[in-house]
Amino acid sequence: MTTTRADVPQVTVTRWTRTSRVGTPAVLVLFVIMFALPFMTALSNVRSVTDLLIFIILGSMWNIMAGYGGMESVGQQAYIGLGAYGLVVLADQLGINIFLAVPLAGIIAGIIAFLFSFLAFRLVGGYFAIGTWVIAEVVKLIITQFPSLGLGSGISLYAMSAFDRDLRIAVSYWIALGVTVLALLICVLLVRSGFGLGLTALRDDPIAAATSGVDVSRAKRLVFVISGVGTGMAGAIIAISTLRVQPDSLFSVQWSVLMIFMVVIGGVGTIEGPIIGALIFWGLREALADYGSLYLILLGIIAIVFALFFRGGVWGLIQKRRRFSVFPTGYSTWFGRLK
């Protein structure tokens, strides 16, 4: 049989799929439309969507650390508190513009996360999780010793008093929207990079990753710091939204439980998963918050069911039926014929 050039298969490898070519522009258009939300709906709805954006940031940052870096922390509330208190110090006590104070608060949280990593990385598995929780409690105890920070009763944020109530709600929403876009962009770029491939290998088998040339300590530390920066900025947004910084609220372990819930429900180790998980949690909270303890019981049941039977989360279930992605983070191949 004679083989012609047309019979030779051609393999094309690309990051962009049919769905990501549609999904990525659609997400960008959605964010542009969302910028105008304060002019389109009631301010109560704007505040609610601000909470959703905070949830997306927190879920994405925990997922980057645990879903890709393999570090399952229950002490991320430390950086929420540090970001919130850092914002008060920067904006109120040092007079720095609120728009500049938010990223600076995140950077402060990241620097402290870098220092904590040398202690936390001595622990592995469950010990690491418990250790990060203990670190968060220690941070809380230290902060409550400073009279300038309100001791144990907390402190109010006065930097937003320059804005009237309506503008303050809109400004906090716009800041949350901007940080959300930045967080998702960092996640996508990180996963697309060669460093992201090393992270995936590290998560699956640290020893094998190390023998393949991945600097395990450096990779884990970088992800740990990035997560601290993003979580710190989320804490700063919480302070702007509530105008009050209270240690018992900000340093509560419930924040880490919330992050874990969103990522487990949405899908660990994916960009889309934490977004879906945040939407589910936010929707359940809005619909069932009036039911008190029953609402919390339902969340617990949902988390247990997904942890036992649907470990890939909602996004994993979607991928089983048809494999596609919203963001161009992986590789796909298609076969054709040379002409």
Side-chain angles (χ1 to χ4, degrees), residues 218-275:
R218 176 178 172 272
K220 291 174 63 176
R221 185 163 286 114
L222 179 58
V223 171
F224 193 76
V225 170
I226 291 174
S227 179
V229 172
T231 305
M233 286 195 286
I237 297 168
I238 292 172
I240 292 173
S241 181
T242 60
L243 298 181
R244 181 75 183 173
V245 176
Q246 293 180 300
D248 289 337
S249 173
L250 292 168
F251 289 100
S252 172
V253 72
Q254 290 183 2
W255 285 110
S256 285
V257 173
L258 166 62
M259 297 180 213
I260 296 171
F261 174 86
M262 291 188 295
V263 175
V264 169
I265 296 300
V268 181
T270 64
I271 303 297
E272 297 86 354
I275 300 174

Side-chain angles (χ1 to χ4, degrees), residues 26-42:
V27 170
L28 295 175
V29 171
L30 176 62
F31 278 123
V32 172
I33 294 173
M34 288 180 68
F35 183 83
L37 186 66
F39 306 107
M40 300 165 57
T41 187

Side-chain angles (χ1 to χ4, degrees), residues 95-118:
I96 296 176
N97 183 277
I98 194 71
F99 295 99
L100 180 60
V102 171
L104 287 178
I107 291 173
I108 291 173
I111 292 172
I112 297 176
F114 174 77
L115 298 176
F116 285 160
S117 68
F118 291 94

Side-chain angles (χ1 to χ4, degrees), residues 31-32 71 74 81 113 138 155 222 240 293 313:
F31 278 123
V32 172
M71 296 173 286
V74 292
V138 171
I155 189 172
L222 179 58
I240 292 173
S293 59

Side-chain angles (χ1 to χ4, degrees), residues 36 49 51 55 62 87 106 117 126 144 175 178 223 236 249 263 269 302 305 326:
V49 177
D51 291 342
F55 296 153
W62 194 88
L87 181 79
S117 68
T144 55
I175 293 175
V223 171
S249 173
V263 175
I302 293 173
V305 169
V326 177

Side-chain angles (χ1 to χ4, degrees), residues 69 205 266 293 313 317 319:
D205 191 331
S293 59
L317 293 175
Q319 293 284 63

Side-chain angles (χ1 to χ4, degrees), residues 34 54 61 87-88 108 128 190 212 216 231 304:
M34 288 180 68
I54 293 172
M61 291 298 102
L87 181 79
V88 171
I108 291 173
F128 175 84
L190 188 65
S212 300
V216 173
T231 305
I304 292 172

